Amino acid sequence: MKPKWQRMSNGCNRWFIRLFKIHNLSVFILLVIVTAFLCVITFPVAATIKTQHTSLNVSIQNPTAQTQDLLQQGKVLYERGQFAEAVKVLQQAVKSYGSQGNELRQAVALSNLALAYQKLGNLTQAQQAITDSLKLLEKSSTAENLQVLAPILDIQGSIQLDLGQAEQALNTWQRAEASYKQLGDRNGITRDRINQAQAWQVLGFYRRGLTILTQLQQELQSQPNSVSKAVELRSFGDALQLAGDLDESRRVLQQSLVIAQELDSSQDVSAALFSLGNTAQGQQDFKGAIEFYQQAAAIAPNPITKVQAQINQLSLLGNMGQTPAAQTLLPQIQTQLAELSPSVTTIYARIHLAQSLMKFGTTPQAIAHICAIALQQAQDLADKRAESFALGTLGSVYEQTKQWTIAQNLTQQALIIAQTINAPDIAYRWHWQLGRLLKQQGEIKGAITAYDTAVSELQTLRTDLVVVNQDVQFSFKESVEPVYRESVELLLQFQQTDPSEPILDKARQRIEALQLAELDNFFREACINAKTVLLDTVVDKDNPTAAIIYPIILPSELQVIVKIPKQPLRNYTVNKSQKEVEGIIRQLREYLLEPDRTEEVQALSQEVYGWLIKEIEPDLKEKGVKTLVFVLDGILRNVPMAILHDGQQYLVEKYAVALSLGLQLLAPKPLTETKLNVLAAGLVQPPQDFQQQFPPLPEIKSEFNSISQAIASTTQLLDRDFNSKNLESQVNTVPFNVLHLATHGQFSSRAENTFILAADGPINVTQFDSLLRRRDQTRSEALELLVLSACQTAVGDNRATLGLAGTSVKAGARSTLASLWQISDKSTAILIGEFYRELVKTKVTKAEALRRAQVKLLKDYPNYSRPGYWAPYVLVGNWL
C-alpha cells in the first residue's frame, strides 16, 4: 500500500502532512451535454482541461437531468473528501446509466466510483469498478471513447500501484500516454510520464525514473508560462523530492512558485510554498521549512490548505523545542479545524494535531478528545484507513498514560482494520505499538511475535519505504529504526532467561536488516539485491581463521554476539548504557585527530577493548583466529577497530581487521587467485571552487609510482585527465578489477553530500553508481577492490559511515579500502604502497595486507607511528 497525499509518518512520534501524491494525479471525469470536463484532482489545485463537444463529431445521447446531477453530486462529495457518500451517489449513477444503455457514461461513472473506493482504501472494489469501466469502454473505439480512455487508464494505474503492482501500473500509464498523444494533450502526457518515473523507481530503476524526469524538465522549460506549467513543475519538484534529489527539487519548486506569482494564482503560490516547506524539511532546513509553511498558510485561499500548513509548522516548532511559538499558533489551528466540514482531510489534520500535541505536555484528555472527534468522523465517512489511524493514535494516547488494557484494545481494533484493507504500511505501526504494550504487561513471547510481524511487514514494504513513502524517509530514526532496535533488545532480554542459539541468530539478523534498511534509506532505493552468502559459511568453511563480532548498542547496555569458527553463537552483556558508549566513542574519535593525545587514545581504546575483545580472547587464541570481522552498530562505526589496545599492543598488531555490513557478503573469492588490473585516477590540485576546503595532494604521484611498481597492469588518469567524462570512458573500455581513486572526497549520512572530487568538480555517489553500472552491463569482470585513498567522513556526522558503506555497495565492489579521516598524503603514499606490495608479493588476504601496511607505519616510521596516521584506513566487505 502507498501513502495518501496526507499521511502519518509515525504512529507514535512524528507525523507530516503532504499535499501531493505523484501517482495520484488521477481524474474525476464528469460528462455533460455540451462539454466533457476532465478535472485533475491534485489538491489543492484542480486543473481543468476542456474539450468542446463539437470537435468529437459524435452525437451524445442526452441523459436525464437527474442522472447527470448524480454525477455532479458525486464530484462535489469527492472533492469535499466525503468519499463514502460519493460512493453511494456514484453507485446510483452507474445503475441509472446502465438502465439507459449509455455505456460511455456508465464507464465514466464506474471510473469515478473506483476513485472514491480507492480513497477509502477499498482497493478490491476499486479494482473491480475500474475493470468494469474499461470493459464497457473498450467495446468500441470511437473518438468519444478515446477522449475518456486515457484518464480512466490513469485511475487504473494509480490503483495498480496502490496494490503493489508497479509493473502493471507502468504498462497502464504507458498506454495512457499513447492515448494522450493521439489527443494531442500535452498536460496528460506530462502527468503520465511523471507517474511512469515513479513506477520505475518503485521497481528499483532509480536512474531510469530520474532520466524521465530530467527530460520532462527540459521540455517544460521551453513551454510558455501558464497555470498548467506551474502545476507540472510543482509535480516534477515533488517527484524529485521523492527521489531524494532535494537540491534540484527546491530549484524546480522555486520556478513553479515564480510562475504562479507572475500569474497571481494564489492557489498555486500556496501549493508551491507548501511543497518547498516539505523539501526544506527533507534538507534539515527546519527554519526555512517553517517560513515556507507560514507563507503558504498566509496566502492559502483554501481553509484546509491553511490549517495543514499551520499543523506542519506546529509539528516542526515542537521538534525544535520552540514551545511558546507553538502555543501561540495552536488556538488558531483549533479554531479553524472546528469550522471545517468533516472530510478525510480534516480527519488526518486532527490526528496530526494530536500527534504534535503529545510533544507539548498537553493533557491526555484534550488529546484524546481530538482523536475521538477524528474517529467519529472517520466512521461517519466510512474511511477505514482514517479510522485505523484514529484508533491507533488514540491507543498511543492511552499508552502514554500507562492504561495498558485500554491502549491494547484500541490498538488491536486499529490493527484489525488495517489488515482487513490490506494496508501493511499502517499495520506495522500497530504491531509495533502492540509489541510495546505487551512488553509493558510482561507478555514477552507475545511482544516478540508482535515485533516479528512489524519487522516482517517493514521488509515487505522495503521498496515502498525507500521510494514511495517519503514521509517515513523524513523520520527514519523515529518510525523505522526503533522497531528493529526494540525488537533486538526484547530478543536479547528473552535470551538471558531462556538461552537459545536461534534467538541469538534472529537478533543479529534483525541488526543486519536494520543496516540494510539504513542503506536503503540513505539511497532511497532498495540497493542490495546481489547474490550473497552467509558470513558463518565463510568462517566455518572458507576461512576458519576468522571470527565475527557483532556489538549491538541498546539503551541500557551493550550486547556483543560472537561467531567463532566451528562454535555455536554466543553473546555477553557489557553494562554500559547507550549514553556512556556514545560518550566514550565520541571522545576517542576526537583524541585520534589530535597530535598529542596518544596516551588518552590508548586508555580509551583499552576500555573499548575490554568491551569487545577481552572476554573472548582465550577462545580466539585457542581456535587460531587471525582475522576479526566487525559488524559495527551506530557510533562504533566512527572509530577504527584496529586502534583497540590491550595495555601492551594495538589490536592490529595481533589480528587483521575488517568490517562487514551484515551477515551476508558477496560471494567470497581470495584476491590472490586473481590477476590484478588497476585503473588509478588521482587529483593533486582540487578544483578552484574547492581549494579552500581541501589542500593539494602532492604525494599522489609517489602513490601512483608505488602502485605501478607492485602491479604492472596499471592505467592512470592524473589531474586534468581525471574528469568525469574521461573516468566514464576508461571505466567502460579498460579491463580492470581494482579501481584506485586518490582524491579528496567526503562520506556523509546524506547521499547528496557524499562525493569524490574530479578535475571538473564533485562526482556524487549516485552519479558514481550510474557510471559503474554501465560498466556492469558490458563487462562480467567483478570489481574486486575499490580504494578511496584521500576521502574522509563528514565532521560531526554520527552516521557518515553510511556514505562509506553506500559508496562500496553502489560500486558493486567486493571490498573497499577507505579512510575515516583525512591524513598526511606522505603517510598515505607509504601505506598504500606497502598494501599493494604485500597483496601482490606475499599473496596474503586483503585484511592481512592492510594489517602489515599499518604495522609498518607504526613500527618503522617514527614520524607516522601515531594512530592518527595509520589507523583511519578500514577494509569494508570481503576480507579474503
Side-chain angles (χ1 to χ4, degrees):
M1 300 290 290
K2 310 298 184 293
K4 292 180 183 292
W5 46 259
Q6 26 83 348
R7 280 274 300 284
M8 285 199 288
S9 71
N10 180 7
C12 298
N13 296 299
R14 178 170 161 194
W15 191 62
F16 187 78
I17 293 180
R18 306 186 62 77
L19 286 179
F20 191 77
K21 173 186 177 186
I22 300 300
H23 79 259
N24 205 21
L25 290 172
S26 46
V27 295
F28 192 105
I29 308 167
L30 180 63
L31 290 182
V32 296
I33 299 173
V34 180
T35 308
F37 292 95
L38 308 185
C39 300
V40 183
I41 307 302
T42 55
F43 188 85
V45 177
T48 303
I49 308 162
K50 299 184 179 181
T51 306
Q52 293 303 316
H53 167 61
T54 52
S55 68
L56 299 178
N57 299 319
V58 174
S59 173
I60 298 179
Q61 180 184 351
N62 187 356
T64 63
Q66 182 181 5
T67 307
Q68 180 59 36
D69 190 48
L70 288 172
L71 205 57
Q72 177 64 41
Q73 286 178 41
K75 176 180 181 294
V76 171
L77 290 166
Y78 179 91
E79 290 181 333
R80 286 177 180 169
Q82 296 172 284
F83 302 124
E85 294 302 316
V87 163
K88 293 175 185 176
V89 171
L90 290 168
Q91 285 172 334
Q92 294 178 51
V94 169
K95 186 175 180 181
S96 179
Y97 283 130
S99 65
Q100 295 172 27
N102 192 330
E103 293 183 341
L104 172 61
R105 295 179 182 279
Q106 188 179 15
V108 168
L110 278 165
S111 69
N112 290 338
L113 179 61
L115 263 181
Y117 277 137
Q118 182 189 18
K119 286 291 188 181
L120 289 169
N122 299 334
L123 295 182
T124 303
Q125 295 97 317
Q127 189 178 38
Q128 186 60 56
I130 202 67
T131 300
D132 292 344
S133 172
L134 285 166
K135 282 180 182 176
L136 287 170
L137 201 62
E138 290 168 354
K139 284 184 178 181
S140 61
S141 55
T142 64
E144 189 179 16
N145 282 15
L146 179 64
Q147 190 78 11
V148 295
L149 174 62
I152 290 177
L153 287 171
D154 281 344
I155 297 168
Q156 184 185 39
S158 176
I159 293 167
Q160 287 168 331
L161 201 62
D162 271 359
L163 286 164
Q165 301 167 357
E167 194 166 352
Q168 293 95 316
L170 176 64
N171 293 334
T172 298
W173 282 324
Q174 287 170 339
R175 282 184 63 199
E177 182 188 356
S179 296
Y180 281 125
K181 283 178 179 175
Q182 283 184 265
L183 294 168
D185 184 343
R186 177 179 283 179
N187 290 337
I189 293 168
T190 299
R191 182 168 61 243
D192 274 307
R193 293 185 71 193
I194 292 173
N195 287 340
Q196 288 169 45
Q198 187 185 8
W200 279 119
Q201 290 169 1
V202 172
L203 288 167
F205 294 94
Y206 169 83
R207 304 305 303 176
R208 190 171 297 188
L210 204 56
T211 297
I212 291 174
L213 294 175
T214 303
Q215 291 169 349
L216 274 173
Q217 182 184 20
Q218 293 167 354
E219 293 173 14
L220 285 170
Q221 298 305 326
S222 64
Q223 294 179 17
N225 288 351
S226 65
V227 169
S228 293
K229 182 175 179 179
V231 172
E232 287 161 6
L233 280 169
R234 190 174 75 249
S235 304
F236 178 45
D238 286 332
L240 286 166
Q241 180 194 122
L242 199 66
D245 194 345
L246 299 177
D247 290 340
E248 186 64 12
S249 169
R250 193 162 184 163
R251 195 181 69 79
V252 170
L253 289 170
Q254 287 284 5
Q255 288 182 357
S256 174
L257 174 63
V258 168
I259 293 171
Q261 288 170 332
E262 286 177 0
L263 298 171
D264 198 24
S265 173
S266 57
Q267 290 186 88
D268 293 294
V269 170
S270 178
L273 287 166
F274 195 102
S275 288
L276 279 163
N278 294 347
T279 293
Q281 181 162 354
Q283 294 174 307
Q284 309 295 303
D285 177 12
F286 300 129
K287 183 180 178 183
I290 286 174
E291 290 174 358
F292 283 129
Y293 291 138
Q294 285 174 332
Q295 294 173 51
I299 200 170
N302 186 313
I304 293 178
T305 308
K306 183 181 181 72
V307 78
Q308 287 175 319
Q310 288 178 327
I311 291 175
N312 274 8
Q313 182 185 341
L314 181 81
S315 181
L316 274 179
L317 290 169
N319 291 336
M320 296 169 70
Q322 297 184 18
T323 304
Q327 289 174 338
T328 301
L329 185 60
L330 179 58
Q332 300 175 41
I333 294 172
Q334 291 174 317
T335 300
Q336 290 170 97
L337 266 178
E339 294 172 353
L340 291 173
S341 300
S343 70
V344 173
T345 313
T346 57
I347 293 168
Y348 284 112
R350 288 183 190 280
I351 296 169
H352 180 202
L353 179 60
Q355 296 293 332
S356 300
L357 291 178
M358 289 183 194
K359 304 167 190 172
F360 299 132
T362 304
T363 63
Q365 293 84 352
I367 301 172
H369 178 68
I370 294 169
C371 291
I373 295 173
L375 175 60
Q376 186 61 58
Q377 290 183 349
Q379 291 171 338
D380 291 344
L381 295 177
D383 188 316
K384 292 297 182 183
R385 286 185 67 91
E387 185 179 356
S388 179
F389 269 129
L391 279 165
T393 305
L394 189 55
S396 69
V397 176
Y398 281 98
E399 179 186 12
Q400 286 201 341
T401 62
K402 300 184 180 181
Q403 294 174 272
W404 311 124
T405 304
I406 299 173
Q408 183 176 334
N409 182 38
L410 289 165
T411 303
Q412 286 171 328
Q413 291 180 55
L415 183 55
I416 289 168
I417 293 172
Q419 291 171 325
T420 301
I421 62 173
N422 188 28
D425 58 318
I426 309 175
Y428 98 83
R429 307 165 194 272
W430 308 144
H431 279 298
W432 173 25
Q433 188 160 295
L434 183 60
R436 297 195 305 271
L437 293 166
L438 290 170
K439 180 186 175 183
Q440 289 291 343
Q441 297 172 82
E443 297 180 37
I444 303 301
K445 287 187 176 179
I448 288 174
T449 300
Y451 271 101
D452 286 351
T453 310
V455 169
S456 176
E457 286 175 334
L458 275 174
Q459 289 174 316
T460 64
L461 285 166
R462 184 179 173 196
T463 301
D464 287 355
L465 287 174
V466 300
V467 179
V468 181
N469 195 345
Q470 182 78 347
D471 297 345
V472 175
Q473 291 289 320
F474 285 146
S475 58
F476 179 88
K477 288 188 71 66
E478 297 171 356
S479 60
V480 175
E481 184 175 343
V483 183
Y484 289 94
R485 289 202 177 279
E486 291 167 17
S487 171
V488 169
E489 184 177 17
L490 196 60
L491 288 167
L492 293 174
Q493 178 184 330
F494 185 70
Q495 166 75 11
Q496 291 174 1
T497 57
D498 191 2
S500 160
E501 190 177 12
I503 290 289
L504 277 184
D505 189 41
K506 184 191 283 189
R508 67 174 185 162
Q509 284 189 44
R510 200 136 292 170
I511 281 294
E512 179 205 14
L514 171 59
Q515 295 213 1
L516 291 182
E518 285 182 311
L519 278 176
D520 291 345
N521 174 255
F522 177 80
F523 283 110
R524 290 188 169 88
E525 64 175 313
C527 59
I528 300 181
N529 294 305
K531 186 177 181 181
T532 54
V533 295
L534 287 176
L535 293 187
D536 285 12
T537 304
V538 180
V539 167
D540 285 336
K541 294 180 181 178
D542 301 311
N543 187 219
T545 58
I548 314 170
I549 301 171
Y550 308 83
I552 300 170
I553 302 171
L554 299 175
S556 60
E557 63 192 22
L558 178 67
Q559 282 282 343
V560 184
I561 299 176
V562 181
K563 170 60 184 174
I564 294 175
K566 312 292 185 181
Q567 287 190 3
L569 287 176
R570 57 180 286 194
N571 77 303
Y572 54 90
T573 304
V574 178
N575 291 317
K576 291 287 179 183
S577 69
Q578 180 177 351
K579 186 176 180 181
E580 289 175 294
V581 169
E582 290 180 348
I584 289 170
I585 295 298
R586 201 172 285 115
Q587 189 73 73
L588 177 54
R589 171 65 186 254
E590 185 180 317
Y591 286 163
L592 279 165
L593 301 179
E594 295 180 13
D596 300 318
R597 294 282 194 170
T598 300
E599 289 185 11
E600 289 92 334
V601 165
Q602 289 185 358
L604 289 173
S605 61
Q606 193 171 339
E607 184 168 359
V608 181
Y609 184 96
W611 301 346
L612 305 183
I613 306 297
K614 190 173 182 179
E615 183 160 332
I616 58 170
E617 189 145 38
D619 291 333
L620 298 177
K621 289 178 180 177
E622 182 186 339
K623 290 294 181 181
V625 169
K626 296 178 180 177
T627 302
L628 299 180
V629 181
F630 290 89
V631 182
L632 295 177
D633 183 27
I635 198 170
L636 286 168
R637 302 171 190 151
N638 286 1
V639 295
M641 294 293 103
I643 53 94
L644 301 190
H645 203 271
D646 66 0
Q648 303 294 324
Q649 293 177 298
Y650 289 105
L651 191 67
V652 74
E653 296 180 72
K654 299 189 290 185
Y655 301 98
V657 176
L659 305 180
S660 177
L661 299 177
L663 295 174
Q664 297 180 339
L665 180 83
L666 293 174
K669 182 181 179 184
L671 197 57
T672 54
E673 299 174 7
T674 307
K675 181 184 176 183
L676 298 187
N677 298 301
V678 180
L679 173 58
L683 192 65
V684 173
Q685 189 71 41
Q688 190 166 1
D689 291 347
F690 291 86
Q691 287 178 8
Q692 288 188 335
Q693 185 178 354
F694 299 113
L697 298 169
E699 293 296 324
I700 282 178
K701 293 178 182 178
S702 171
E703 186 175 326
F704 277 22
N705 289 337
S706 298
I707 297 171
S708 298
Q709 289 171 13
I711 301 170
S713 180
T714 303
T715 303
Q716 297 185 3
L717 292 174
L718 191 60
D719 292 335
R720 289 185 180 180
D721 291 335
F722 173 27
N723 56 59
S724 52
K725 185 177 179 181
N726 283 351
L727 181 62
E728 181 174 4
S729 173
Q730 294 294 320
V731 160
N732 289 319
T733 57
V734 172
F736 68 93
N737 52 14
V738 177
L739 179 58
H740 184 106
L741 300 175
T743 179
H744 288 292
Q746 179 170 279
F747 308 125
S748 165
S749 59
R750 301 180 63 81
E752 56 267 33
N753 296 331
T754 296
F755 61 88
I756 56 171
L757 269 183
D760 54 346
I763 300 176
N764 182 271
V765 66
T766 50
Q767 296 170 316
F768 188 56
D769 161 49
S770 179
L771 182 149
L772 288 169
R773 279 197 193 183
R774 285 194 284 275
R775 170 187 182 267
D776 293 343
Q777 293 166 5
T778 58
R779 296 180 179 275
S780 58
E781 189 177 25
L783 181 57
E784 296 289 345
L785 179 63
L786 170 67
V787 180
L788 301 163
S789 78
C791 297
Q792 61 183 334
T793 50
V795 177
D797 187 339
N798 284 338
R799 300 175 79 222
T801 44
L802 277 176
L804 168 55
T807 303
S808 176
V809 166
K810 280 301 191 183
R814 292 182 188 273
S815 312
T816 298
L817 177 62
S819 55
L820 295 180
W821 58 82
Q822 188 177 314
I823 48 180
S824 158
D825 65 327
K826 286 186 179 180
S827 63
T828 295
I830 296 168
L831 186 141
I832 291 296
E834 291 293 334
F835 171 74
Y836 280 112
R837 272 192 289 277
E838 293 290 346
L839 205 58
V840 174
K841 291 181 180 178
T842 59
K843 302 292 185 182
V844 294
T845 65
K846 286 173 273 192
E848 177 62 17
L850 175 60
R851 187 191 79 81
R852 293 184 183 186
Q854 289 176 311
V855 171
K856 187 85 171 175
L857 272 186
L858 169 63
K859 294 189 171 180
D860 295 352
Y861 290 86
N863 290 341
Y864 303 127
S865 62
R866 189 167 57 81
Y869 288 107
W870 54 262
Y873 281 95
V874 293
L875 183 72
V876 180
N878 183 356
W879 64 90
L880 298 180

